[in-house]
Amino acid sequence: MSTSAEPRREALVELYREVSDCTRCPLHAGRTKAVFGSGNADAELLFVGEAPGAEEDRQGLPFVGRAGQLLNQLLEGIGMRREDVFIGNILKSRPPGNRDPQPEEIDACWPYLERQIQLIEPRVIATLGNFATKRITGSQVGITRCCGTPQVHEIAGRTVFIYPLFHPAAALRTPSVLDRLREDFSRLPSLLAEPLPELEAPAGSANEPVGARRDPASQLDLFG
Ligand code: URA
């Protein structure tokens, strides 16, 4: 059930403040800024990456490095802008040296992503790369096998399409991955227009597949 946009936006700003001050895992000690995510607080499309890198940590914003520039281009290619979508990560703080997120860091950060999903109410969650895809689908199937195939999941109490995509950083390294990412992106508009299947069974646990299948002011106004 959808709540009106304004209270959800206010709750998102409140959550942003909470994340900015978060000390739930040791990563807080090494970060410059927490990266809450940015974009449209009422977006139908939510992108989820892995964790902030060096530039994201400096600016407190997601996907602002080279991978972010590619993400912007891919969005433009389907007639969308960053302001139309919400972009976030599994982890809100940068792991040192961009090492892989650790299980206890993911567990500490997970409730923030769940709350973001509840407040933004996206219809499609596009997972960027292996890491976000495995965590959000709850499956060990790798991105090469599942990219471009939408799945229906119950996540944070909502039925959503999960749409696994290669990570833009991988596409920057490998031309064939870029081709595949462009191709999968081109199917996003039709997926956004597709009705979500009705739930056939009572809601299961988070990310269970359904059926068969600081400068606060400058970040606050990013939730358009
Ligand atoms: N890679 C990610 O997964 N997230 C970012 O925010 C930037 C790069």
Side-chain angles (χ1 to χ4, degrees), residues 98-116:
N98 296 345
R99 64 149 169 77
D100 285 349
Q102 300 300 297
E104 54 281 8
E105 296 160 359
I106 299 161
D107 289 348
C109 236
W110 182 250
Y112 292 134
L113 183 61
E114 283 191 317
R115 194 78 187 113
Q116 286 176 309

Side-chain angles (χ1 to χ4, degrees), residues 6 8 10 13 40 51 104 112 117 124 130 140 150 155 210 217 224:
E6 198 43 41
R8 288 189 287 113
E10 280 166 19
V13 170
N40 184 340
E104 54 281 8
Y112 292 134
I117 292 167
V124 176
N130 238 336
Q140 283 311 302
I155 181 163
V210 170

Side-chain angles (χ1 to χ4, degrees), residues 49-53 56 61-63 67 89 167:
E50 180 173 324
E56 289 78 19
L61 294 169
F63 283 93
N89 282 303
H167 196 289

Side-chain angles (χ1 to χ4, degrees), residues 39-40 45 47 71-72 74-87:
N40 184 340
L45 175 56
F47 287 93
L71 186 56
N72 295 348
L74 289 161
L75 281 168
E76 263 174 44
I78 56 167
M80 296 184 91
R81 299 159 306 153
R82 277 176 85 111
E83 296 75 30
D84 299 321
V85 303
F86 199 92
I87 304 176

